[in-house]
Amino acid sequence: MKYFLTHPFKAMKSYLPTSMFGRSLLIVMAPLVLVETISAYVFFDNHWENVTKALANNIAGEVATIAALYNEIPDESNLFQFLARTHLKLRTNFIPSKTLETSVPEEWKEGVLDTALNSRIFMPYTFNITPKDIIITTEIENGLLQFTTPRKRLHSKTFFLFIMWVAGTSALFLCIAAVFMHNQVKPLRRLAIAADRFGKGRSFPHFKPEGATEIRKVAQAFLNMKERLQRQLTQRTEMLAGVSHDLRTPLTRMRLQLAMMPLSSETEGLQKDVEEMGKMLEGYLTFARGEGLEETCNTDINDLIFDAIEGRVHPESIVHYVPQTLPILCIKPQALKRCLMNLINNAVRYGHEVWVSTSTTTDALTILIEDDGPGIPEDKFKDVFQPFFRLDGSRNMATGGVGLGLSIARDIAHTHGGEITLSTSEAHGGLAAALTLPY
């Protein structure tokens, strides 16, 4: 409550709808409700009060007329009862030889009916209002005259008809506005879904610009951006294929020339350098080329994990994995398999045993890969994702590779809208790599 008083706008914002459809509907509904409220209040303050006074005056006039006739012509009482019952909707009852002993109840004093009766009946009277009837009792000569009339005569039906008419038409127009608003928001929602699928590397073949002019422009700009990115990926892949061919040719020639030279310590060193250059070239091209041109498809994650485990660099290493019931994801299978293989190979390279496990939430799948190796210092968790970064300062290809495994794995994870996080395995003491993929 204190926060609401000190920050009213921020507190109100938390109760407002967050979707564009909800906010647009609120913009339409708020003025409508405000206008209805003001109209109903003005109608009630003027029309309702005036009509109620007029109805009360009619009842009071009829009662005063019948009472005056009873006083003036008591012999024609049966005729007056007949006229009151048939034409005035008043049921009369004469009680002889009695006087009025009660007054108007406090709850009805100075009300609309009391004011009307007081201005027209110049003799003692009282009345009571029940849920169905109004009972008015007045003194006349030689007794009391009691009138009974339906209570609904004191209330105007127009007020309730007005409320029902306003509420009904407003609800109808609000439903129509909601349908039109939903049709206007639908293209924007489809655009958001297409952008989300594009961010996760998935296809959206049936998307097209539609809706209002502004939304069409945004959708067309998004499609143009998608085409430019795909064209850039294609051009990069073709360029790298040419670079790979141009660089492999001199490396192959250098290998042949070294093979024809007499063996010596210098030639052996050069051969190792050429081999390392070839591996570095392959690693660089693999990292730069990526898997952007692969199409997405529904894939069984359990089968993908088993394939990645079978393709590890050290088949003799022990990898534990118990399959679970996992959702079918729309992914790039070859790219994600390569991502998992890089993580598993990194684990088997430094650990004796590797444990692979999976867990799911409402919106994401997490694949956890743990080992019992020496692990990585926490201050190096971010650095190991940098291209060509190696913890092994010797730059020996046999002990640390090129330094692109985790970089490629994170790039593939980002392509699928996911993330890779590193931590220290509490269960096994080594490194724990968690690959999170959204549904």
Side-chain angles (χ1 to χ4, degrees):
M1 185 65 182
K2 183 178 179 181
Y3 179 80
F4 184 83
L5 294 176
T6 55
H7 304 83
F9 294 105
K10 291 183 179 179
M12 288 177 60
K13 192 175 181 180
S14 61
Y15 293 98
L16 296 177
T18 56
S19 65
M20 183 178 179
F21 175 73
R23 292 185 175 184
S24 301
L25 203 59
L26 181 63
I27 292 173
V28 174
M29 187 172 61
L32 187 63
V33 172
L34 184 61
V35 169
E36 285 185 7
T37 304
I38 296 175
S39 301
Y41 176 77
V42 172
F43 180 85
F44 179 83
D45 191 47
N46 294 289
H47 180 77
W48 172 262
E49 186 176 356
N50 294 333
V51 170
T52 304
K53 286 181 180 179
L55 294 175
N57 290 331
N58 288 338
I59 295 174
E62 293 171 1
V63 169
T65 300
I66 298 298
L69 290 174
Y70 262 88
N71 283 330
E72 296 294 332
I73 315 174
D75 296 335
E76 299 293 336
S77 59
N78 292 332
L79 176 61
F80 303 149
Q81 288 183 0
F82 174 76
L83 293 175
R85 184 175 63 253
T86 56
H87 297 287
L88 303 179
K89 296 183 181 179
L90 288 173
R91 299 192 304 272
T92 60
N93 182 27
F94 177 67
I95 305 174
S97 305
K98 282 194 175 183
T99 59
L100 196 62
E101 298 178 354
T102 59
S103 61
V104 178
E106 291 293 330
E107 58 180 319
W108 308 118
K109 276 188 176 181
E110 298 182 359
V112 176
L113 183 60
D114 186 35
T115 303
L117 291 173
N118 189 41
S119 65
R120 285 167 172 77
I121 300 177
F122 304 103
M123 57 191 70
Y125 68 90
T126 186
F127 67 90
N128 189 26
I129 301 177
T130 67
K132 291 185 177 181
D133 298 319
I134 301 173
I135 303 173
I136 303 172
T137 305
T138 181
E139 283 189 3
I140 60 173
E141 294 181 4
N142 303 322
L144 299 176
L145 189 58
Q146 190 177 71
F147 300 89
T148 304
T149 189
R151 182 175 178 174
K152 61 183 180 180
R153 290 189 61 193
L154 192 60
H155 301 287
S156 174
K157 296 181 180 180
T158 56
F159 177 75
F160 302 102
L161 291 175
F162 173 78
I163 295 298
M164 293 175 61
W165 173 257
V166 170
T169 54
S170 299
L172 176 62
F173 290 137
L174 188 62
C175 291
I176 296 174
V179 172
F180 280 102
M181 197 69 66
H182 181 267
N183 291 335
Q184 292 300 314
V185 174
K186 188 188 297 183
L188 194 60
R189 187 182 294 113
R190 290 178 178 174
L191 176 59
I193 294 173
D196 181 68
R197 292 182 64 86
F198 181 66
K200 295 176 181 179
R202 302 173 185 175
S203 59
F204 42 95
H206 303 295
F207 175 76
K208 61 180 181 180
E210 56 184 352
T213 304
E214 292 79 3
I215 300 178
R216 287 176 179 267
K217 289 182 179 180
V218 174
Q220 190 60 50
F222 169 72
L223 291 177
N224 294 338
M225 179 192 69
K226 171 179 171 290
E227 292 178 0
R228 286 195 297 269
L229 290 175
Q230 289 181 338
R231 186 166 57 249
Q232 182 181 4
L233 288 174
T234 303
Q235 291 175 350
R236 188 182 68 171
T237 302
E238 293 175 352
M239 181 191 69
L240 291 174
V243 171
S244 174
H245 179 269
D246 292 341
L247 292 179
R248 283 173 179 169
T249 300
L251 283 176
T252 303
R253 189 164 55 248
M254 291 171 64
R255 289 193 186 98
L256 291 174
Q257 291 177 352
L258 289 173
M260 296 174 63
M261 294 176 63
L263 289 177
S264 64
S265 58
E266 290 82 2
T267 57
E268 289 182 357
L270 287 173
Q271 287 178 350
K272 291 181 179 179
D273 291 339
V274 170
E275 292 298 327
E276 289 185 2
M277 289 175 62
K279 292 181 180 179
M280 291 179 65
L281 176 62
E282 289 296 330
Y284 171 73
L285 292 176
T286 300
F287 172 75
R289 181 169 58 249
E291 304 291 341
L293 301 180
E294 184 184 0
E295 293 293 332
T296 58
C297 62
N298 293 329
T299 305
D300 189 324
I301 302 300
N302 279 312
D303 294 342
L304 195 69
I305 294 175
F306 278 120
D307 291 342
I309 293 173
E310 290 295 327
R312 62 189 184 275
V313 292
H314 299 301
E316 70 280 359
S317 59
I318 301 175
V319 179
H320 304 276
Y321 175 61
V322 178
Q324 299 180 1
T325 302
L326 300 177
I328 302 296
L329 296 186
C330 184
I331 58 172
K332 298 178 179 179
Q334 294 301 322
L336 195 60
K337 176 184 174 182
R338 186 165 160 215
C339 173
L340 290 173
M341 287 180 59
N342 286 356
L343 296 176
I344 294 173
N345 288 336
N346 187 72
V348 300
R349 184 178 290 115
Y350 297 101
H352 300 287
E353 294 185 52
V354 176
W355 292 264
V356 181
S357 60
T358 57
S359 61
T360 57
T361 61
T362 56
D363 56 355
L365 164 69
T366 300
I367 303 174
L368 183 64
I369 301 170
E370 302 174 275
D371 62 67
D372 57 356
I376 297 176
E378 291 187 6
D379 58 342
K380 300 294 183 181
F381 282 166
K382 292 183 179 180
D383 296 335
V384 294
F385 288 110
Q386 300 299 323
F388 304 105
F389 179 86
R390 296 174 58 204
L391 292 173
D392 181 16
S394 65
R395 312 300 297 175
N396 188 351
M397 302 286 288
T399 59
V402 182
L404 290 172
L406 290 177
S407 300
I408 294 173
R410 187 180 65 169
D411 184 63
I412 295 173
H414 286 175
T415 301
H416 289 81
E419 186 57 84
I420 296 177
T421 55
L422 302 180
S423 61
T424 301
S425 175
E426 297 181 358
H428 309 288
L431 181 67
L435 170 62
T436 303
L437 298 171
Y439 294 154

